[in-house]
Amino acid sequence: MLPGLSIVGAFAMGYCALAVIARGHVRLTSAEVLGFTVGLGVLVTGVSALAISIVGIGITQFVVVFIGLPLGIVSYLLRRPEEAAGRSLGVFLRTWFDFSDYSRGERAVATALLMLIAVAAAAFVGLYAVQYPDQTSMALAITGPNGSPNVTRDFSRGVMQAVEVYVLANATPGSSPFTVRVRLVPWNATGNESFHAVSATNRSFHLDAFAEYRESNIVVAPQGSQRLPYAIAVDSIGSFRLRFDLLNSQDRTLATNYLSIVVA
């Protein structure tokens, strides 16, 4: 709803700006009014965005309160209707759809454009009422022991290091269990290498270059988290990426996080 109101407000501001500039002295066709309304709306909004980048006021409040409201009042005072409301509406509609100075081809094009605009507006309004289901959005967080933000990045060859991984779920993680995949990728890897599997005991395992470990059957509650404490030893020397991937039941990657490490 709010995006639709914002679009309407921007166009209304452009129309008010056009009313202040033209002031009834320039006769404009419906297509020209529409073009100037959109152009001035974009221009005023863009200038406002530049202004608030310096002042630091929210774009909505700045445009509506400091620009839109005064502009609307000024345009009303300059273009105050002198006829009855019903008659003014009739005059407005006749003026808006006045194509008397158009050729037959131009009238056909203008009519087609107005119909397309009406269809697009109806489609946009209709889309606001459509409810879309939340897409599965998961995340992985890497911490030190007991959730400490101090994560070890300097490994000693063959020495176990404690690394904790947290699987974070959104409101609809799904009922199928997930899989966490741990890979040791050298920095000079080309991306075409194959990986070999390693086994673990109580989430304690050794990795060498292009090794991977998988833990399946991980279930996370909606908006919940699952803590996975690992003890990892690296048996190769060099610079690596310790990469963690969260996979769904179709083995599709949902989230990725990695730890850059140096093994000496």
Side-chain angles (χ1 to χ4, degrees), residues 79-99:
R79 301 282 297 165
R80 184 183 304 176
E82 300 178 355
E83 304 178 14
R87 188 177 177 186
S88 298
L89 178 60
V91 172
F92 171 79
L93 292 176
R94 285 196 302 271
T95 304
W96 180 259
F97 295 104
D98 181 15
F99 302 116

Side-chain angles (χ1 to χ4, degrees), residues 70-130:
L71 190 59
I73 294 175
V74 171
S75 63
Y76 175 79
L77 293 177
L78 294 178
R79 301 282 297 165
R80 184 183 304 176
E82 300 178 355
E83 304 178 14
R87 188 177 177 186
S88 298
L89 178 60
V91 172
F92 171 79
L93 292 176
R94 285 196 302 271
T95 304
W96 180 259
F97 295 104
D98 181 15
F99 302 116
S100 58
D101 55 344
Y102 280 33
S103 66
R104 179 175 298 180
E106 291 173 339
R107 284 197 295 269
V109 172
T111 303
L113 289 176
L114 288 176
M115 292 178 63
L116 289 175
I117 291 174
V119 171
F124 283 132
V125 173
L127 287 175
Y128 288 126
V130 177

Side-chain angles (χ1 to χ4, degrees), residues 153-159 184-188 207-210 233-241 261-264:
R153 297 180 183 272
D154 295 323
F155 280 57
S156 297
R157 182 179 181 181
V159 178
L184 186 67
V185 185
W187 272 101
N188 59 357
L207 295 176
D208 56 357
F210 302 110
V234 179
D235 296 334
S236 301
I237 295 177
S239 298
F240 301 90
R241 278 187 175 182
I261 63 173
V262 177
V263 184

